[in-house]
Amino acid sequence: DFEYLPPEDAGAYAAFLARRGERLLPAYFVVMVPYTLYLILAKGATWSSLFWNASLLYYWVRPSGAFNWYVAGAMALYIITPFCFVRLRAARHREGLTAAACTAALALCQLFTHEGYWHVTDLFFRVPVFFLGLLLGFYVGEGRRLTRRDYAFWAAALVVGAAYLYVSLTAIWEPWPVHFPECHLFLCTTVPMCLGLALCLERLPLGRLSALLERIGKNSLEIYLLNVS
């Protein structure tokens, strides 16, 4: 989708959101509607839950029969993607801008947890990874080849992730001014793990297994939605 999004192009912006909606919403409604009806008829949720879930506003108003956060949160991130993409593409130092955005997002997460806004953390804990994903999208789209320095950097990130995990598991939250939720591990560990996995998939004789993995990947949204409901 990145290559089809010229800056300041409202038509491309709408087309981008339409493609995302076409991918997410049909599967979402197939799972969400019967699940919400079950909550209404068997669990006492209000009929308004069906409206809130269908409008994707459920995450923000928190009705009694709210669906899983993912689709509403993903669409919110897709709405800001074109704006962030244009700014990142025009930046002279993309890594620096990405680091600044991730730092600001982490600070926002700290604010929400200290103030007790736990119901929004499902989405906002993933905002730092969202910016990291945008940067990597440029690497893939532009065909950037990894250097030894890149490998060293991501190996160091994995070490930082291990240290973060230790602190997260051992620190007592109450006296600490900073919280260490384990979900922030993804900032340090996702890229190194993906690089390792890609290396394995590239060199292993997968045969028919590659077709199965491809099918699982293409249907990962449906698998996720069925799992959470």
Side-chain angles (χ1 to χ4, degrees):
D1 282 329
F2 289 119
E3 59 183 312
Y4 301 115
L5 190 65
E8 312 303 329
D9 189 333
Y13 183 100
F16 169 80
L17 293 180
R19 286 193 298 273
R20 295 296 82 208
E22 289 172 2
R23 173 65 186 100
L24 269 68
L25 296 182
Y28 168 70
F29 276 97
V30 166
V31 176
M32 179 275 295
V33 171
Y35 177 76
T36 306
L37 290 176
Y38 164 75
L39 293 180
I40 293 172
L41 299 175
K43 299 294 183 178
T46 62
W47 280 97
S48 62
S49 301
L50 194 59
F51 166 78
W52 294 119
N53 288 345
S55 65
L56 299 185
L57 295 175
Y58 63 90
Y59 181 72
W60 310 105
V61 301
R62 310 295 295 174
S64 58
F67 195 72
N68 176 263
W69 73 275
Y70 178 78
V71 173
M75 291 304 295
L77 291 177
Y78 284 134
I79 288 174
I80 68 171
T81 293
F83 172 82
C84 298
F85 172 80
V86 169
R87 298 303 182 275
L88 196 61
R89 181 168 63 179
R92 291 185 178 181
H93 303 288
R94 291 174 180 168
E95 289 79 4
L97 182 58
T98 301
C102 289
T103 302
L106 289 171
L108 193 61
C109 291
Q110 289 294 318
L111 177 64
F112 284 137
T113 54
H114 277 284
E115 296 296 327
Y117 293 102
W118 294 102
H119 62 283
V120 301
T121 55
D122 284 325
L123 172 60
F124 283 94
F125 276 178
R126 289 159 174 86
V127 172
V129 183
F130 164 77
F131 287 110
L132 180 62
L134 279 179
L135 177 65
L136 295 178
F138 279 103
Y139 287 175
V140 173
E142 296 172 352
R144 170 172 169 171
R145 297 185 63 84
L146 295 178
T147 64
R148 290 183 178 180
R149 180 178 296 181
D150 293 322
Y151 285 115
F153 174 82
W154 292 115
L158 198 59
V159 173
V160 172
Y164 184 96
L165 176 62
Y166 173 79
V167 174
S168 177
L169 294 176
T170 58
I172 301 175
W173 277 35
E174 287 302 326
W176 281 63
V178 178
H179 293 166
F180 295 90
E182 293 172 19
C183 61
H184 290 330
L185 278 171
F186 285 105
L187 273 176
C188 301
T189 59
T190 299
V191 176
M193 290 191 296
C194 287
L195 291 175
L197 181 60
L199 181 64
C200 293
L201 293 177
E202 187 178 66
R203 298 190 176 185
L204 292 176
L206 297 177
R208 294 182 179 179
L209 180 60
S210 62
L212 174 62
L213 293 175
E214 182 179 3
R215 182 173 294 274
I216 292 174
K218 289 183 176 179
N219 294 280
S220 59
L221 171 66
E222 288 78 4
I223 294 171
Y224 174 81
L225 291 175
L226 289 172
N227 175 63
V228 300
S229 62

